[in-house]
Amino acid sequence: MINLNKAWVIVKPEIIKLLNSYHWLILLGVGIIIATLPFDWYQEQLTFFNIPLEGYQGARETVYINLLHELFSWAWICIAFYLFSGLLLPLGDSFSVSHLLWLRLTPCSPWEIAAARAIRVIAYGVWVGALALIWVLVTSLYHHIYPANLLLDVLGLVSYIIFAGGMIALLDFDLAFDYFSKMVIAVVALFFPSLLDLVKLGIDNLIDAQYARYFPFTHPFARVTSENLYHFGVAGLLGLFFLGFHIFSKLKYRTVKN
């Protein structure tokens, strides 16, 4: 049977490093300040330090949701590039021969190592999602708006992390990749969840609308709509499937292979 205690020994240092990183808390604090204190509502218009903002007139709640959605999307882009160096590249490097030679010194089987990779990806998604949820709840409470659509943005960000990480794990078929190839794979994983939306636009006329709503994609600046629940949700589930497949594909091995 798979021993999650052994998998935890491998991934524990990375999770502790993630939770102890003050950069995330600084980003959260700065994000909350930027999204609350400078903005106010005056005579059916949003103001920034009491200066009316053009293009932000109309229903108060709709305007604030659009504003917070835009701010969240910019933060999402920053987080994505941080994840590229903090998660996606190291995850790809974990399949390198030099890294596997180090792992051979542990008593872990290949599927326990694969489980450690999956735990690392999910931990990133849960941690970043928790911080994003705090941001949404605090800013929504401050501006007195209902945060349902903004919660979909949180789901999209978590799905993005799990989907991108799952893609890299899925590409492990005992192939030896050099550093440049692994970087290319990480770049593809960084942008692919967003590019799927363009694929959906290209095939919209070819698939029925009731099935199109389940097409997986997730990216910042997505149109604010309740259908994102299906797109983002399916993308997250697909990422979990990739991670699960990566683990079960290692069940046939008893030792780590080069």
Side-chain angles (χ1 to χ4, degrees):
M1 293 181 63
I2 187 169
N3 189 337
L4 290 180
N5 290 329
K6 295 180 180 179
W8 175 249
V9 168
I10 295 178
V11 78
K12 181 180 178 180
E14 295 299 330
I15 294 181
I16 292 176
K17 180 180 177 182
L18 172 66
L19 298 179
N20 288 339
S21 176
Y22 62 89
H23 298 95
W24 291 105
L25 298 180
I26 291 176
L27 179 63
L28 175 62
V30 171
I32 289 175
I33 293 173
I34 291 176
T36 55
L37 300 182
F39 297 100
D40 203 353
W41 189 259
Y42 179 73
Q43 294 184 350
E44 303 299 320
Q45 189 170 22
L46 186 68
T47 63
F48 180 76
F49 289 117
N50 296 323
I51 301 174
L53 293 176
E54 295 295 330
Y56 287 92
Q57 301 97 353
R60 181 183 181 280
E61 182 163 324
T62 300
V63 170
Y64 268 118
I65 287 176
N66 290 335
L67 170 70
L68 295 178
H69 171 67
E70 184 175 346
L71 293 175
F72 187 93
S73 296
W74 284 113
W76 183 334
I77 292 175
C78 296
I79 291 171
F81 283 100
Y82 182 86
L83 289 170
F84 176 75
S85 60
L87 175 65
L88 301 183
L89 274 179
L91 186 65
D93 194 47
S94 70
F95 298 111
S96 66
V97 173
S98 60
H99 195 85
L100 287 176
L101 287 175
W102 175 82
L103 289 175
R104 291 190 68 147
L105 299 177
T106 71
C108 295
S109 65
W111 40 320
E112 288 162 346
I113 295 172
R117 294 189 181 112
I119 292 171
R120 183 177 185 182
V121 173
I122 294 172
Y124 260 83
V126 171
W127 176 240
V128 176
L131 297 180
L133 179 61
I134 293 173
W135 184 89
V136 166
L137 294 179
V138 170
T139 54
S140 299
L141 182 63
Y142 182 88
H143 293 300
H144 305 290
I145 62 174
Y146 187 63
N149 288 325
L150 297 175
L151 293 177
L152 291 179
D153 284 339
V154 176
L155 172 63
L157 178 57
V158 175
S159 297
Y160 172 84
I161 296 171
I162 295 176
F163 190 21
M167 279 187 59
I168 294 179
L170 185 69
L171 292 175
D172 172 44
F173 290 104
D174 299 322
L175 301 177
F177 295 110
D178 58 22
Y179 180 77
F180 178 76
S181 299
K182 287 180 288 187
M183 180 173 287
V184 170
I185 291 172
V187 171
V188 171
L190 180 69
F191 291 104
F192 191 73
S194 303
L195 294 176
L196 282 176
D197 193 14
L198 297 179
V199 175
K200 177 184 176 297
L201 292 176
I203 63 174
D204 257 346
N205 295 329
L206 302 178
I207 56 178
D208 192 273
Q210 64 177 337
Y211 300 114
R213 68 191 306 186
Y214 296 104
F215 192 88
F217 68 80
T218 173
H219 62 82
F221 296 105
R223 188 165 55 92
V224 179
T225 171
S226 60
E227 283 199 0
N228 286 342
L229 174 64
Y230 302 99
H231 298 305
F232 297 167
V234 173
L237 292 175
L238 195 58
L240 290 175
F241 172 78
F242 290 162
L243 294 173
F245 179 83
H246 173 57
I247 295 173
F248 285 106
S249 67
K250 300 298 181 184
L251 294 178
K252 60 183 178 180
Y253 300 115
R254 291 191 177 184
T255 59
V256 178
K257 297 184 66 178
N258 289 339

